[in-house]
Amino acid sequence: MSTKLSPHNLRPNADALRLVRAGAPVVKLVDDFGAAAEYLAVNPNLLIIGRRISTFPDDPNRVVTAENLRHLSPQAAAQLWIDIQTPIYRANPSIKFWELANEPSWEVKENDVINIEKTIANYEWYGKFEARRTFLLSQTGLRAVIGNFSTGTPDIGDNNLDVWLKMMPALLTARDLGGILGLHEYSDGKLSKDVDANGEGWNILRFRRVHRLVLEPNGLANLPIVLTEFGVDFKIRDIDYAAELAWADSEMRKNAYLLGATIF
């Protein structure tokens, strides 16, 4: 099985093109989409994921995020998001998969303690919002990459699935309409350092935990996953990064439902 390691591009660069030529299955592009045609010329089957940082039309200094659309209904918020982003989609027809804003944060803290009730309500809203965004994209032949949560979130455990179950409308819609679940995985040291005997970690190889506890039991085993950000904290210097990536790649190749991991 070929590599899962893939590039994450803020700007087109020679290293990303080298990875595409070497067989990377995925490319993530943020804001600068000009290299998409070049990459597809190398590999027409390449999965390209786009993310555009947008601002409100009436307030160009204010970035649009899911959190600052929370005051609207999920359906109205999704429609507004699509309306704002549609010119980007039309200008880049070779990109078929699109993310929302980066790393949505829905945990509500009060006096340094998470308010479970409010947090779950936020995820319930977000699950409906992402379901609607996925549907609206599908109406124009596009696909959604949902989730894209920051590393180690949302919380998950054998008896701790409340938040993930509130995401079920989005997960089911993504499955039915050709979408992808995006997750972020980072380590602050060796990639293998927190992986348990079952081959699952809290930050690295966490996707296996999500698949086992959330997707498989709910008829979603065939929903593909992409690690839309992946790697080691750039401040860590005393490890053999190439060896760590090779180890991670050897593990990720064991899971066909994981399409790739974009190194950031």
Side-chain angles (χ1 to χ4, degrees):
M1 184 180 293
S2 60
T3 183
K4 304 281 188 173
L5 299 178
S6 303
H8 183 299
N9 267 22
L10 299 179
R11 294 290 182 270
N13 59 79
D15 288 338
L17 181 57
R18 215 172 281 125
L19 277 171
V20 172
R21 286 174 172 159
V26 181
V27 171
K28 166 90 167 279
L29 301 178
V30 179
D31 281 344
D32 189 332
F33 310 113
E38 182 179 17
Y39 295 157
L40 288 169
V42 174
N43 177 8
N45 296 316
L46 185 68
L47 170 60
I48 300 183
I49 296 171
R51 177 166 67 84
R52 172 68 173 181
I53 301 172
S54 293
T55 58
F56 285 95
D58 59 350
D59 188 355
N61 294 316
R62 187 181 179 212
V63 173
V64 186
T65 67
E67 292 92 329
N68 59 28
L69 298 177
R70 177 67 174 86
H71 63 287
L72 301 172
S73 72
Q75 294 75 22
Q79 186 64 64
L80 177 57
W81 176 270
I82 294 296
D83 290 344
I84 291 172
Q85 294 248 309
T86 289
I88 299 301
Y89 305 153
R90 289 177 176 166
N92 297 279
S94 61
I95 302 176
K96 303 301 184 184
F97 287 81
W98 291 91
E99 294 185 6
L100 183 69
N102 196 42
E103 297 189 345
S105 177
W106 297 113
E107 284 70 23
V108 177
K109 282 191 174 182
E110 296 176 347
N111 300 318
D112 291 326
V113 177
I114 292 180
N115 183 310
I116 301 298
E117 183 177 348
K118 291 182 180 179
T119 295
I120 289 176
N122 278 346
Y123 277 99
E124 182 175 17
W125 180 93
Y126 185 57
K128 294 175 181 177
F129 169 89
E130 279 286 65
R132 185 62 179 174
R133 182 178 73 93
T134 300
F135 171 77
L136 291 173
L137 283 172
S138 75
Q139 295 298 102
T140 60
L142 300 175
R143 301 290 178 262
V145 183
I146 66 170
N148 305 293
F149 304 111
S150 61
T151 188
T153 67
D155 203 4
I156 187 172
D158 292 294
N159 298 305
N160 185 14
L161 297 173
D162 290 347
V163 163
W164 281 98
L165 293 177
K166 293 301 182 184
M167 285 294 299
M168 203 55 61
L171 295 168
L172 291 167
T173 305
R175 178 201 63 187
D176 294 344
L177 298 179
I180 292 170
L181 172 61
L183 301 173
H184 291 182
E185 295 193 0
Y186 288 103
S187 175
D188 59 1
K190 292 189 67 171
L191 292 172
S192 59
K193 73 183 182 70
D194 72 340
V195 176
D196 62 24
N198 296 319
E200 299 175 355
W202 189 252
N203 294 317
I204 297 297
L205 304 185
R206 178 188 180 86
F207 71 86
R208 290 175 174 167
R209 190 186 305 265
V210 174
H211 191 268
R212 176 175 61 86
L213 293 178
V214 180
L215 303 187
E216 282 187 346
N218 291 287
L220 293 160
N222 62 341
L223 175 63
I225 297 174
V226 171
L227 303 185
T228 50
E229 288 186 21
F230 172 79
V232 172
D233 189 312
F234 71 94
K235 300 183 186 70
I236 307 299
R237 303 293 185 188
D238 59 345
I239 63 171
D240 184 341
Y241 197 15
E244 291 298 305
L245 290 175
W247 171 83
D249 195 24
S250 69
E251 286 294 318
M252 293 188 292
R253 292 186 195 199
K254 298 174 183 178
N255 303 106
Y257 58 84
L258 181 75
L259 302 185
T262 63
I263 305 166
F264 185 65

